[in-house]
Every structure is written in structure tokens, then in C-alpha cells.
């Protein structure tokens, strides 16, 4: 049995050991890392794009006087240019995004419509389409760094006159044309500032006047305004930098 005279000593030992344990370092859970900021599409951006443009329609048509014109060459070609715009995301993370974009494009497919009537050359005298641009609104929905959107607005374009046009009298479309553009696309943000996209547009620049086809026996060859195709499609990829 523990003698009563030893109780004070044992109490002192217990108090001393308790105080020493209190002085030992305590294990504390490390603080949680701060949550990363929620991504937003809001901001101005500039970028560049490149793709393929193509016209629809059949590869031949009938001239009222001389018969079937068979068009030569392909209906598509390179399209490239740049864009500038602004997005505003209503709710960061996932949510609706509204914005506006303007672009300017050079084309490699808008040449004049040459072909043949039988085996005789046919030369189109309508202006070429060397460039076009659009000013469009955008409405989309963001899934964090993914953005799916539709777009539409005003379109304009122009080109150069045929060297043959001055030799004959025609009612020719003007080199500058206006119309509309409609389309949509998908965009993905690689970083907080850089995004990539793929986009499709249908552009219609309005139909111009047509004139009479003439036959030049001294060459021999046919000359005329041909078929006026106002609409064309564009599929392009792009790279944007958001400020």
C-alpha cells in the first residue's frame, strides 16, 4: 500500500509530467490551399483565323442565248484573316455569355466564273470576291472553359473588276457588296488568356445584276456575267488572346 507520506510526492510527479506534456509540440492539420479563381470569358480579345471557303450550286448552268456553260476550276479555296471582339459572362464558371465580334478575311475562292460553252472558252466579267468582313453578335453558353455559341450579323465584301469588262457593255454588280452572316462554333480556353475555336459561317452578299452574253469571233470566245452566286460557306479555326 502507498503510504500517506508518499501521496504529496506522487501528486508532484503527476503535475510535473502533465506540464511537460503540455509543452510538447502539437500536431496541427495544415491549412487548405486557397481555391483557384473561377474562370470567366469576360474581356476583350484579338486573334487570327484560317480555313476553307466554298460556294454551293451546280457546276453548270444554261445561258439563254448560247446554251450550257460548264464552269471550270473548283468552287472552294483558302480563307484567312483576323478578328477582334468582346465577351461578357453573366455568371462565372458556367453560364450565358454575350458578346460581339468583327473580322476581316482575304479569300482564295472568289474568282470570276470562267468555263466553256461546248469547247469554246467562256470568260466571266463579273467582279471577283477578294475579301469580306463581318460584324456579328454572339450568344453562347459556357461550361467552364468550353463555350458553345451562335452568331449572326452584318457582312460586306469586295474585289476587282475583270479586264474583259471594259470591252463590252454590261450591267455589272458593284465591286462592293453587303449582306448578312449566320453561324456558330465551339471555343476552348487553353489558359486564362489563350483560347482556340472552330467556327462555321454562311455568308450572303446579295445578288447583282446580269447582262447579255456576247460572242467574240476574233478570239473566238464568249464573255458574260454568268451566274450570280451570292452565298458561300466558311469553315475556319481560330486562336484568340483575351486581355
Amino acid at each position: 500500500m502507498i503510504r500517506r507520506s508518499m501521496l504529496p510526492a506522487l501528486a508532484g510527479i503527476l503535475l510535473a509530467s502533465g506540464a511537460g506534456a503540455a509543452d510538447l509540440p502539437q500536431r496541427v492539420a495544415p491549412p487548405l490551399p486557397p481555391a483557384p479563381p473561377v474562370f470567366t470569358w469576360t474581356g476583350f480579345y484579338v486573334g487570327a483565323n484560317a480555313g476553307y471557303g466554298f460556294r454551293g450550286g451546280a457546276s453548270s448552268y444554261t445561258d439563254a442565248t448560247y446554251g450550257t456553260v460548264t464552269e471550270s476550276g473548283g468552287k472552294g479555296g483558302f480563307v484567312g484573316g483576323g478578328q477582334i471582339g468582346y465577351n461578357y459572362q453573366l455568371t462565372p464558371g458556367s453560364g450565358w455569355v454575350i458578346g460581339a465580334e468583327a473580322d476581316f478575311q482575304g479569300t482564295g475562292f472568289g474568282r470570276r466564273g470562267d468555263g466553256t460553252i461546248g469547247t469554246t472558252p467562256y470568260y466571266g466579267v463579273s467582279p471577283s470576291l477578294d475579301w469580306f468582313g463581318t460584324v456579328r453578335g454572339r450568344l453562347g453558353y459556357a461550361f467552364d472553359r468550353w463555350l458553345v455559341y451562335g452568331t449572326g450579323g452584318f457582312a460586306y465584301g469586295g474585289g476587282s473588276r475583270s479586264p474583259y469588262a471594259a470591252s463590252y457593255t454590261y450591267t455589272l454588280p458593284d465591286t462592293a457588296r453587303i449582306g448578312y452572316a449566320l453561324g456558330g462554333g465551339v471555343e476552348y480556353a487553353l489558359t486564362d488568356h489563350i483560347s482556340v475555336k472552330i467556327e462555321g459561317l454562311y455568308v450572303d452578299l446579295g445578288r447583282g445584276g446580269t447582262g447579255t452574253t456576247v460572242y467574240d469571233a476574233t478570239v473566238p470566245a464568249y464573255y458574260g456575267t454568268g451566274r450570280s452566286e451570292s452565298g458561300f460557306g466558311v469553315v475556319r479555326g481560330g486562336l484568340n488572346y483575351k486581355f
Side-chain angles (χ1 to χ4, degrees):
M1 295 181 66
I2 300 173
R3 296 180 179 179
R4 291 184 176 180
S5 60
M6 296 177 63
L7 291 176
L10 289 173
I13 293 172
L14 291 173
L15 290 173
S17 62
D23 293 337
L24 291 175
Q26 301 295 317
R27 285 192 174 185
V28 180
L32 295 175
V38 178
F39 178 77
T40 177
W41 288 90
T42 298
F44 287 97
Y45 62 89
V46 297
N49 67 78
Y52 187 80
F54 52 93
R55 293 181 181 273
S59 59
S60 64
Y61 60 94
T62 301
D63 179 83
T65 303
Y66 294 102
T68 301
V69 179
T70 303
E71 296 179 339
S72 61
K75 288 181 174 291
F78 174 79
V79 174
Q83 65 269 355
I84 184 171
Y86 178 80
N87 288 320
Y88 179 77
Q89 186 166 350
L90 302 181
T91 55
S94 296
W96 292 101
V97 178
I98 58 176
E101 182 176 285
D103 65 350
F104 188 84
Q105 309 292 127
T107 74
F109 68 91
R111 56 187 175 274
R112 289 169 288 272
D114 295 339
T116 58
I117 297 179
T119 58
T120 305
Y122 178 94
Y123 298 103
V125 300
S126 295
S128 63
L129 178 66
D130 301 330
W131 54 266
F132 74 93
T134 69
V135 180
R136 295 170 283 107
R138 302 207 312 172
L139 175 63
Y141 194 88
F143 301 90
D144 192 28
R145 293 179 178 268
W146 287 95
L147 175 63
V148 181
Y149 63 90
T151 183
F154 172 76
Y156 60 96
S160 57
R161 291 197 179 277
S162 165
Y164 306 115
S167 302
Y168 304 95
T169 301
Y170 293 100
T171 303
L172 293 175
D174 191 57
T175 55
R177 285 154 272 178
I178 59 174
Y180 64 90
L182 296 171
V186 178
E187 192 165 354
Y188 178 72
L190 299 172
T191 71
D192 287 348
H193 296 285
I194 298 175
S195 63
V196 293
K197 69 175 182 177
I198 184 168
E199 182 177 71
L201 287 179
Y202 174 77
V203 182
D204 193 307
L205 295 177
R207 293 184 177 275
T210 57
T212 303
T213 298
V214 299
Y215 177 71
D216 186 347
T218 62
V219 176
Y222 296 93
Y223 300 88
T225 55
R227 178 173 50 193
S228 177
E229 291 184 15
S230 58
F232 58 91
V234 175
V235 178
R236 60 190 180 184
L239 178 71
N240 286 330
Y241 181 86
K242 180 170 73 74
F243 296 96

